[in-house]
Amino acid sequence: MSHPILNDQLQSLDDQGLATTLACLADTCKTISQQLKRGELAGILGAAGNENVQGEEQKKLDVIANDLIKSALGACEPVRGIASEEEDDVVGLRESAGLLVTFDPLDGSSNIDINSMVGTIFSILPGQSTGPVTEAEFLQPGRNQVAAGYVLYGPSTMLALTTGNGVDMYTLDPVSGDFLLTREANIPEATKEFAINMSNQRFWAPAVQTYIAELLQGAEGPRGKNYNMRWVAAMVADVHRVLCRGGVFMYPWDQRDPNKPGKLRLMYEANPMGFLVEQAGGQCCTPEGPILDLQPEKIHQRVPVILGAAEEVSRCVGMHS
Ligand code: FDP
């Protein structure tokens, strides 16, 4: 069976600047994938010895992946500016260009040192000006995204991509070095699988406590069916599972730190995943409504996230009101 090649698929996009940018991101992720495969042999595991702007310890691979993407997009003509989890501020590249890229260079970095799944998440927004690049220009609702996706570095390396017309999933062929189209994502409305970090249970809002308690009661409880739990602890891998076979994934609000209304970052985690999940037939919300309708306030903003099977997301969100 022959599988379409990513670069051929990109040629059919109306916006060739977008196609060039997506090809650049995909190529850079191939390099990251190669580095990850060498792992300990390449001396790239462990801490980098610094913290990012959010006070999180950076791993060497966070820094390596960030530098690779930053430098590749720096040479990519259609890109006006970038924002990254690992950069304190937005970075202006060229005022004449039309696209803004936000990215999490290596999501799930606590998995790096145990040779478990990690990924690169990206979101592409239209530029809003022809003057100097500012943070304000990036602060557009996720609905404005022109493309979003991630590359998952797992047993095989996979790219999930949306340009607003469904979600295509490509597998990196180690022989040809091409991303080949292997499936489309589709999230069934109902599920029997959930993903949440249960160790935070005592900090959640009452609505989430009740929602999860009902799932745990299984067939004897109000939901009348048994649920299974899965938790990779890398959003990119947990969302990949939801896109492949359904389920619900949550990183809800918790009461520990009033300055952190959630763990996940809006601009380069929740928004791109929200675009993918909606395009695959699911929902992605905060307790107030769809993530993609949120007006961002700052580039490293955090939000609570409930995403996946429509039946579960709407039930959980509804329990908040
Ligand atoms: P990580 O900090 O390891 O990069 O983006 C944050 C994230 O990973 C998510 O990918 C993941 O779902 C979550 O944090 C895991 O954090 P906890 O172990 O604190 O639950």
Side-chain angles (χ1 to χ4, degrees), residues 107-110 197 231 233-235 251 263-265 269:
D107 176 63
S109 32
S110 55
N197 185 341
W231 182 250
M235 183 199 199
Y251 219 110
K263 164 139 191 176
L264 302 174
R265 272 54 57 105
E269 291 179 321

Side-chain angles (χ1 to χ4, degrees), residues 150-167:
Y150 61 77
V151 172
L152 175 70
Y153 311 107
S156 55
T157 295
M158 289 193 74
L159 163 71
L161 176 65
T162 184
T163 54
N165 188 22
V167 178

Side-chain angles (χ1 to χ4, degrees), residues 7 36 44 61 83 98 111 114 120 127 152 176 192 217-218 225 240 249 254 258 265:
N7 285 358
L36 282 164
I44 52 174
L61 266 163
N111 278 354
I114 58 162
T120 298
L152 175 70
S176 68
K192 291 182 175 177
Q217 286 169 58
K225 57 182 175 180
H240 183 71
F249 164 88
D254 76 41
R265 272 54 57 105

Side-chain angles (χ1 to χ4, degrees), residues 35-36 38-46 59-61 64 112-113:
Q35 299 256 8
L36 282 164
R38 292 205 65 222
E40 208 132 34
L41 300 174
I44 52 174
L45 303 192
K59 303 275 185 181
K60 283 185 199 164
L61 266 163
I64 291 169
I112 292 173
D113 295 338

Side-chain angles (χ1 to χ4, degrees), residues 45-200:
L45 303 192
N50 355 306
E51 286 187 349
N52 64 18
V53 67
Q54 299 158 76
E56 296 162 338
E57 180 197 62
Q58 283 181 315
K59 303 275 185 181
K60 283 185 199 164
L61 266 163
D62 286 324
V63 177
I64 291 169
N66 186 61
D67 290 350
L68 282 168
I69 299 172
K70 186 178 175 185
S71 134
L73 293 178
C76 183
E77 287 289 321
V79 182
R80 191 175 142 68
I82 59 170
S84 160
E85 180 183 1
E86 306 303 340
E87 296 285 332
D88 296 5
D89 302 307
V90 304
V91 180
L93 295 175
R94 53 188 73 70
E95 294 183 10
S96 57
L99 295 174
L100 303 171
V101 183
T102 70
F103 55 92
D104 179 351
L106 215 63
D107 176 63
S109 32
S110 55
N111 278 354
I112 292 173
D113 295 338
I114 58 162
N115 194 25
S116 190
M117 282 188 282
V118 290
T120 298
I121 309 173
F122 59 86
S123 156
I124 305 185
L125 289 159
Q128 301 286 289
S129 130
T130 49
V133 177
T134 62
E135 176 172 349
E137 192 183 350
F138 281 80
L139 303 180
Q140 308 174 41
R143 274 300 154 218
N144 285 11
Q145 291 171 104
V146 291
Y150 61 77
V151 172
L152 175 70
Y153 311 107
S156 55
T157 295
M158 289 193 74
L159 163 71
L161 176 65
T162 184
T163 54
N165 188 22
V167 178
D168 289 332
M169 290 183 160
Y170 297 84
T171 304
L172 181 61
D173 178 356
V175 178
S176 68
D178 291 319
F179 275 110
L180 303 180
L181 183 60
T182 42
R183 66 153 81 193
E184 285 169 16
N186 171 36
I187 304 176
E189 203 176 328
T191 185
K192 291 182 175 177
E193 197 162 76
F194 69 98
I196 194 165
N197 185 341
M198 284 296 294
S199 68
N200 298 329

